[in-house]
Amino acid sequence: MTNKAHWEQVYQNKPADTVSWYQPHAEKSLALIRSIAGRSAVALIDVGAGASSLVDDVLAEGLAQVTVLDISATALAQVQQRLGERARLVRWMEADVTQASLPSAAFDIWHDRAVFHFLTELVQREAYVAQVRRALKPGGHLLLATFAAHGPLKCSGLPVMRYTAQGLQEVFGPSFELSAHSSEEHRTPAGALQSFVYVHLHRLAGHS
């Protein structure tokens, strides 16, 4: 089964509020976005968004111009249906983030909760980093949440990577400064606890 087929199957067979990574509201991500956006309009891409409600809340608060990227057409369709008329305010991209055709220096904020840890091969991680470097503006902000060092070994039947905050910063290199990090014990709809680490990496202006 291909990566895309796997995620299409997940979203076709499971209600969005039953998948293990479900959150009614992405509170930690929203708090980080609010702290960056302030009163100025910013461009945000939510990578591997799935059926997350983050886009709903960002639009409701007028925090950013939003691009939503996911590999699953089914997940994107679910969010578009949920948003109704507001869906026209969003740019939608159905793609694998490591292969997507992303615009250069287009985004002030790159957000990813629970995608990067699925990239278990070095070539995938290198492609992801290259995409961030291409699409994120100098001085922009990378908001990344992955399984923590003592988090799960698998998710959705797939192997995953686990990270510390410092480990994530090292992946992206010296042009990204670790501005903040925090942890979260996420309770899944089934009642299990999953340990996440959140990092806010600031891309230093003048660095490639």
Side-chain angles (χ1 to χ4, degrees):
M1 181 181 294
T2 66
N3 195 31
K4 178 175 175 58
H6 173 86
W7 293 112
E8 293 290 6
Q9 186 178 78
V10 167
Y11 285 104
Q12 288 168 6
N13 295 331
K14 292 185 177 182
D17 61 357
T18 65
V19 295
S20 66
W21 51 91
Y22 170 74
Q23 296 176 305
H25 298 280
E27 296 293 356
K28 289 183 78 68
S29 295
L30 277 168
L32 287 166
I33 293 167
R34 290 186 192 110
S35 72
I36 296 164
R39 296 182 179 180
S40 60
V42 298
L44 176 149
I45 183 168
D46 189 11
V47 170
S52 168
S53 66
L54 180 65
V55 61
D56 307 55
D57 292 328
V58 169
L59 289 176
E61 296 187 31
L63 293 173
Q65 299 169 343
V66 187
T67 297
V68 171
L69 182 151
D70 199 86
I71 198 169
S72 168
T74 304
L76 295 177
Q78 289 175 5
V79 182
Q80 290 165 358
Q81 183 176 14
R82 189 178 70 224
L83 287 174
E85 285 297 313
R86 291 191 299 162
R88 63 182 175 81
L89 302 174
V90 178
R91 181 185 181 193
W92 303 95
M93 296 185 70
E94 179 192 337
D96 180 329
V97 63
T98 65
Q99 302 171 16
S101 179
L102 296 175
S104 178
F107 303 107
D108 300 287
I109 303 173
W110 176 296
H111 173 266
D112 167 1
R113 177 183 178 271
V115 174
F116 188 69
H117 59 215
F118 283 106
L119 306 183
T120 57
E121 297 180 12
L122 178 59
V123 65
Q124 295 174 313
R125 297 192 294 277
E126 290 176 340
Y128 184 104
V129 171
Q131 292 282 56
V132 173
R133 290 179 178 276
R134 172 179 173 76
L136 189 64
K137 296 177 183 179
H141 304 267
L142 172 58
L143 307 179
L144 198 61
T146 73
F147 286 137
H150 53 292
L153 295 172
K154 284 190 172 185
C155 181
S156 189
L158 300 175
V160 295
M161 302 284 287
R162 301 183 296 176
Y163 292 96
T164 63
Q166 188 60 40
L168 286 169
Q169 188 278 323
E170 289 172 359
V171 169
F172 290 88
S175 61
F176 286 83
E177 178 181 64
L178 181 59
S179 295
H181 64 91
S182 62
S183 59
E184 178 183 55
E185 292 299 314
H186 167 66
R187 187 172 294 279
T188 72
L193 286 177
Q194 296 178 333
S195 297
F196 276 79
V197 59
Y198 283 70
V199 296
H200 172 188
L201 299 174
H202 179 217
R203 184 176 190 181
L204 302 176
H207 286 67
S208 61

